[in-house]
Amino acid sequence: MNLDNIRIVLVNTSHPGNIGGVARAMKNMGLSRLYLVAPRQYPDEQAEWRAASAMDILENAVVAETLEEAIGDCQFVVGTSARNRRIPWPLQNPRQCAQRMAQASSAEQVAVLFGREDRGLTNEELKVCNLHLNIPTSEAYSSLNLAMAVQIVCYELQMLSSPAGLPTGEDEEWDTPFSTRENMERFYVHLEQALTDIEFLDPVAPRQLMSRLRRLYGRVRLDEMELNILRGILTETQKWVDKARQKAD
Ligand code: SAH
């Protein structure tokens, strides 16, 4: 994937603060190409304030008069919408859609369109899109702030492009190797013996004790170091029991 081939297109935005907020959301997530189609109030100080350290995104933003001018060279266009329109169109959530955009971005120009704060995108604008993206929300209120909607879409793209987005197994992150089955079996033999020595376990009526302990340790998955610590505790416990017995004799 190539984030540089994905542009964010804001159509007819009313509030310059939102434009700044979008620039910041994009920069946080590694996107850089912002297109503004007929913004109602731009350039504007409020955009600069909200952009914070993403001023470069604003400075490089392309201001276009028409939507065609902003997306004419694109092969893949996504339209975002807070509600289901009457026209049926392929509809995806941001995660699914990010996959499609990521694939296309390797070789194609991709655009994501965001609508007006008050009315969204028109049906005409939505019709030029290859697919529609809807961010799932509470039914009670489905319309997100423009910059926040951009943030969510850009976040999904960033997750696909960065190593942080890859699933990491528990094993890779752990600093000590996990115990082998063999060592676990030795531990259970030791544990059973020690529990018998201290008379917690009655070999005549063991009930489900060892099964339950197996389930407990199985759930946490001990590493070799932890296993050695537990074995050390068991050994010391057995020594004290022995000493106490010898004294009593
Ligand atoms: N009342 C408008 C809401 C516009 S919100 C409407 O019904 O369309 C401004 C823009 O933010 C939208 O055009 C869209 O680009 C984006 N947006 C807001 N909420 C969204 C959602 N739940 N899913 C997808 N995009 C959303």
Side-chain angles (χ1 to χ4, degrees), residues 194 197-198 231-242:
D197 292 350
I198 63 170
R231 301 264 327 238
I233 294 172
L234 293 178
T235 304
E236 287 308 307
T237 309
Q238 288 172 310
K239 273 192 207 159
W240 278 91
V241 174
D242 263 358

Side-chain angles (χ1 to χ4, degrees), residues 86-233:
R86 267 157 286 140
I87 37 168
W89 222 258
L91 183 71
Q92 297 200 326
N93 68 39
R95 198 152 297 171
Q96 300 162 328
C97 195
Q99 302 264 7
R100 294 281 305 271
M101 291 192 266
Q103 279 166 7
S105 73
S106 302
E108 295 166 14
Q109 290 296 317
V110 178
V112 198
L113 315 188
F114 291 86
R116 302 151 186 83
E117 290 92 330
D118 52 349
R119 295 185 292 120
L121 293 165
T122 64
N123 283 343
E124 287 312 307
E125 287 159 349
L126 283 166
K127 276 188 213 160
V128 308
C129 300
N130 300 104
L131 58 83
H132 292 166
L133 181 159
N134 174 258
I135 301 167
T137 59
S138 149
E139 272 177 33
Y141 192 20
S142 68
S143 170
L144 276 78
N145 165 266
L146 174 59
M148 303 209 181
V150 172
Q151 182 81 72
I152 287 170
V153 173
C154 293
Y155 168 74
E156 292 296 340
L157 289 166
Q158 171 60 26
M159 281 294 273
L160 290 179
S161 81
S162 89
L166 296 172
T168 48
E170 178 190 13
D171 306 30
E172 286 165 49
E173 285 168 10
W174 209 246
D175 56 355
T176 312
F178 288 100
S179 302
T180 59
R181 289 280 337 121
E182 226 171 27
N183 286 340
M184 284 308 293
E185 286 310 317
R186 288 195 189 106
F187 166 68
Y188 289 129
V189 170
H190 195 172
L191 180 63
E192 190 167 5
Q193 186 56 54
L195 293 177
T196 310
D197 292 350
I198 63 170
E199 292 174 11
F200 185 78
L201 181 84
D202 179 359
V204 183
R207 301 223 198 90
Q208 293 294 309
L209 183 62
M210 286 316 293
S211 302
R212 292 201 180 272
L213 288 171
R214 272 177 181 269
R215 201 169 66 170
L216 164 67
Y217 288 112
R219 222 162 58 219
V220 289
R221 278 226 299 154
L222 299 175
D223 67 31
E224 290 294 348
M225 181 98 71
E226 292 159 343
L227 192 81
N228 285 337
I229 293 170
L230 289 175
R231 301 264 327 238
I233 294 172

